Amino acid sequence: MSETIKLTGFKELHDSLGNLKKTTERALLRRVAVKALEPIAERARQLVPVDKGNLRDSIVVGTNINSGARRAARKDPVQGVRVFCGTANRNAVPGEFGSARSPAQPFMRPAWDGGKDRVLESVQRDLKTEIEKAAARAAKRGK
């Protein structure tokens, strides 16, 4: 199944972010992305089958990635930030996709499918607000 999403305004976004210091830009992008993905993580925590709660409690939003993903990221350099929503718990993959011993009980994909539109809306809304705040702070400092 394929989906088509039309995104516009990247030139204006690039210009607005270009007026900020790189550290400010990265912190702003990270803050917006983490905030946008948190509802996905929360929904996944609600959907995950709970035995002792370890898998549920391991679902996080963050910027730290494991060594395998870090190696892949080095091969594909990206400007901006990378933010992840998920878990490193070893029971996540068999739970999400099933195994020879147990059927699939997906929790991450349904959480994403149910909230992906709100993620884009949140990023759009919050980026505008955060850029305006950062620009105002920079102007106040005289930079």
Side-chain angles (χ1 to χ4, degrees), residues 53-86:
N54 295 338
L55 179 54
R56 179 196 61 221
D57 296 342
S58 71
I59 297 171
V60 296
V61 175
T63 57
N64 292 332
I65 56 177
N66 64 29
S67 59
R70 196 173 293 117
R71 279 192 299 276
R74 270 186 255 144
K75 292 179 186 175
D76 180 28
V78 163
Q79 290 184 343
V81 298
R82 290 180 190 247
V83 178
F84 300 88
C85 177

Side-chain angles (χ1 to χ4, degrees), residues 23-141:
T23 54
T24 303
E25 174 186 339
R26 290 180 59 82
L28 179 150
L29 291 172
R30 187 176 296 115
R31 195 169 42 250
V32 168
V34 166
K35 182 179 176 186
L37 285 174
E38 191 53 51
I40 301 294
E42 185 56 39
R43 182 66 181 140
R45 289 182 201 112
Q46 293 169 357
L47 295 173
V48 71
V50 176
D51 181 14
K52 295 178 183 167
N54 295 338
L55 179 54
R56 179 196 61 221
D57 296 342
S58 71
I59 297 171
V60 296
V61 175
T63 57
N64 292 332
I65 56 177
N66 64 29
S67 59
R70 196 173 293 117
R71 279 192 299 276
R74 270 186 255 144
K75 292 179 186 175
D76 180 28
V78 163
Q79 290 184 343
V81 298
R82 290 180 190 247
V83 178
F84 300 88
C85 177
T87 176
N89 187 298
R90 64 185 182 94
N91 296 319
V93 172
E96 182 79 12
F97 299 105
S99 69
R101 293 185 227 154
S102 63
Q105 295 179 296
F107 54 96
M108 289 303 299
R109 184 58 190 225
W112 172 252
D113 287 344
K116 63 185 170 191
D117 295 333
R118 287 187 297 277
V119 169
L120 288 174
E121 291 166 5
S122 175
V123 167
Q124 179 184 12
R125 178 188 63 242
D126 294 343
L127 260 180
K128 181 180 185 313
T129 304
E130 289 291 331
I131 290 171
E132 289 170 353
K133 286 182 188 177
R137 285 191 303 268
K140 189 174 181 179
R141 287 191 307 266

Side-chain angles (χ1 to χ4, degrees), residues 1-26:
M1 169 182 8
S2 69
E3 295 181 43
T4 302
I5 299 173
K6 182 176 180 176
L7 302 173
T8 59
F10 285 103
K11 182 185 180 324
E12 294 84 358
L13 174 62
H14 184 267
D15 293 345
S16 295
L17 289 172
N19 294 329
L20 302 174
K21 291 188 334 186
K22 286 294 178 193
T23 54
T24 303
E25 174 186 339
R26 290 180 59 82

